[in-house]
């Protein structure tokens, strides 16, 4: 049998992306969609969450079309599918439709394992998307990001970028993209220093910290200074999202020592202490409201709006307002 090309492999009838790293999961989907649209520019893409896939939904989406169009069907959080829907998916795996690529996103682990096992047994293409919890993994990720662009960065530059940006892969990827776009030649530690270190008062995390603490004026001041010194808007929305999600995670967690909560929530102990101080005044409704504001800002800075700066200002004000929902001063 002739060996499949990488292109043909991406368009396998079924792909399972396994893990909890959102950036890698999104990239796994984007890779399949890009390959499908390269083969057929009119490819129909259906991107669904698990609650949108009910018994019969998959059969409807994968039924033959009069126009024999290519289609990509994405199912996110596949581990949460109902038992009846899992039966539908298993039946489909045994006889996938032509010109259709099914992409299942699964966090791994015990929940929904029967579906994951069935996909593997059926020969599905698998993409690993593990959460990168170790500094060495994030450093390797940054090096690979530079290699993928065909650009050179010194080991010291890669380490400095990880130290400055932190653990969020989206921020790291965005930082690499910004450096590659702005800087010619080899990227060294001095370049990273000019862009991302020595600017604690203007960092995206400072904006997020002041916002979740309900300090509107200080958050807006930090935001405007960050933007004026070249911090990418996407880094700020990512930091805002992290800040609000941390509030939500800790407020819903059981009480306990910082070390225990750190293991449960995947945060360092020092951050548990900080978030505990920041979460006073927050309510569940406030968290939901703030997350919606971040989502709108994220869409605005990624081309969905005319003024990214205004989108960020609206989000910062909304988050600070949510932080004061119990009369925080």
């Amino acid at each position: 049998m002739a060996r499949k090309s990488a292109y043909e492999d991406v368009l396998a009838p079924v792909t399972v992306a396994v893990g909890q790293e959102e950036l890698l999961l999104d990239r796994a989907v984007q890779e399949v969609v890009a390959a499908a649209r390269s083969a057929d520019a009119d490819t129909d893409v259906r991107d669904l969450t698990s609650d949108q896939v009910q018994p019969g939904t998959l059969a409807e989406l994968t039924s033959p079309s009069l126009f024999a169009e290519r289609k990509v069907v994405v199912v996110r959080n596949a581990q949460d599918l109902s038992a009846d829907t899992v039966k539908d998916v298993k039946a489909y795996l045994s006889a996938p439709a032509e010109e259709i690529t099914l992409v299942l996103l699964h966090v791994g682990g015990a929940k929904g394992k029967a579906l994951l096992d069935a996909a593997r047994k059926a020969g599905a293409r698998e993409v690993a998307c593990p959460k990168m919890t170790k500094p060495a993994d994030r450093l390797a990720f940054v090096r690979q990001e530079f290699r993928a662009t065909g650009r050179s960065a010194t080991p010291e530059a890669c380490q400095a970028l990880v130290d400055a940006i932190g653990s969020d892969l989206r921020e790291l990827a965005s930082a690499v993209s910004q450096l590659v776009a702005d800087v010619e030649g080899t990227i060294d530690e001095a370049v990273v220093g000019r862009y991302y270190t020595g600017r604690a008062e203007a960092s995206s995390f400072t904006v997020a910290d002041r916002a979740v603490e309900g300090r509107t004026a200080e958050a807006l001041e930090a935001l405007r200074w960050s933007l004026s010194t070249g911090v990418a808007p996407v880094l700020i929305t990512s930091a805002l999202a992290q800040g609000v999600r941390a509030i939500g995670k800790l407020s819903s967690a059981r009480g306990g020592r910082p070390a225990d909560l750190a293991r449960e929530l995947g945060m360092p102990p020092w951050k548990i202490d900080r978030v505990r101080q920041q979460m006073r005044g927050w309510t569940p409704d406030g968290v939901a409201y703030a997350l919606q504001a971040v989502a709108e800002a994220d869409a605005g800075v990624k081309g969905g709006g005319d003024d990214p700066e205004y989108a960020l200002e609206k989000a910062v004000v909304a988050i600070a307002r949510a932080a004061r929902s119990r009369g925080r001063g």
Side-chain angles (χ1 to χ4, degrees):
M1 180 184 294
R3 184 177 179 180
K4 287 186 177 180
S5 67
Y7 175 83
E8 290 172 321
D9 186 50
V10 172
L11 289 180
V14 181
T15 287
V16 288
V18 185
Q20 300 181 42
E21 187 54 67
E22 292 184 5
L23 174 64
L24 301 183
L25 290 167
D26 285 344
R27 285 184 172 181
V29 173
Q30 292 163 8
E31 182 183 32
V32 173
V33 171
R37 286 185 168 156
S38 178
D40 180 354
D42 295 324
T43 294
D44 181 19
V45 178
R46 304 296 179 93
D47 196 328
L48 308 171
T49 56
S50 57
D51 60 318
Q52 294 175 304
V53 185
Q54 301 299 319
T57 302
L58 186 60
E60 179 182 344
L61 291 174
T62 58
S63 60
S65 167
L66 290 174
F67 303 101
E69 64 183 358
R70 182 178 289 277
K71 185 181 293 184
V72 175
V73 178
V74 180
V75 179
R76 297 179 183 271
N77 298 313
Q79 72 281 349
D80 295 329
L81 291 172
S82 69
D84 288 338
T85 304
V86 168
K87 290 179 183 178
D88 286 355
V89 178
K90 287 182 176 179
Y92 178 81
L93 292 173
S94 65
E98 292 185 10
E99 300 299 308
I100 293 178
T101 299
L102 174 65
V103 184
L104 301 173
L105 274 55
H106 194 295
V107 298
K111 187 176 183 181
K113 186 173 184 296
L115 175 59
L116 186 56
D117 288 344
R120 287 167 170 162
K121 186 176 180 180
R125 168 179 173 261
E126 184 168 343
V127 180
C129 304
K131 199 74 175 175
M132 295 190 182
T133 57
K134 297 179 180 178
D137 293 338
R138 294 191 288 273
L139 182 59
F141 172 80
V142 168
R143 289 171 175 164
Q144 178 56 40
E145 289 292 289
F146 279 117
R147 281 196 294 268
T149 66
R151 295 291 301 279
S152 297
T154 66
E156 294 79 12
C158 294
Q159 184 64 62
L161 196 60
V162 171
D163 292 342
I165 299 298
S167 62
D168 189 277
L169 290 200
R170 290 189 188 278
E171 288 202 7
L172 288 169
S174 296
V176 170
S177 295
Q178 182 178 19
L179 289 168
V180 167
D182 292 356
V183 179
E184 296 183 358
T186 299
I187 295 165
D188 58 20
E189 187 177 9
V191 170
V192 174
R194 288 200 301 272
Y195 272 73
Y196 294 105
T197 59
R199 297 188 301 170
E201 293 305 316
S203 75
S204 55
F205 292 106
T206 299
V207 178
D209 285 341
R210 299 296 85 79
V212 300
E213 291 162 2
R215 296 155 66 177
T216 309
E218 292 177 43
L220 288 173
E221 181 181 2
L223 171 65
R224 289 161 188 157
W225 183 249
S226 294
L227 293 171
S228 71
T229 54
V231 177
V234 68
L235 300 184
I236 299 174
T237 55
S238 179
L240 291 172
Q242 285 188 64
V244 176
R245 288 191 190 115
I247 297 288
K249 284 182 179 180
L250 192 56
S251 62
S252 62
R254 298 186 301 273
R257 297 178 305 166
D260 295 331
L261 288 170
R263 285 192 294 271
E264 179 184 343
L265 302 178
M267 298 181 191
W270 64 263
K271 189 169 184 178
I272 296 291
D273 292 332
R274 175 184 290 180
V275 176
R276 273 179 167 166
Q277 295 174 356
Q278 293 174 333
M279 65 188 285
R280 294 195 301 270
W282 281 90
T283 66
D285 286 345
V287 172
Y289 174 74
L291 286 174
Q292 179 61 38
V294 172
E296 292 174 0
D298 189 56
V301 303
K302 291 179 179 176
D306 297 328
D307 190 340
E309 293 187 17
Y310 177 64
L312 286 170
E313 287 184 3
K314 282 182 60 180
V316 165
V317 171
I319 293 167
R321 182 182 297 125
R324 297 193 303 269
S325 56
R326 284 183 180 166
R328 181 189 178 97

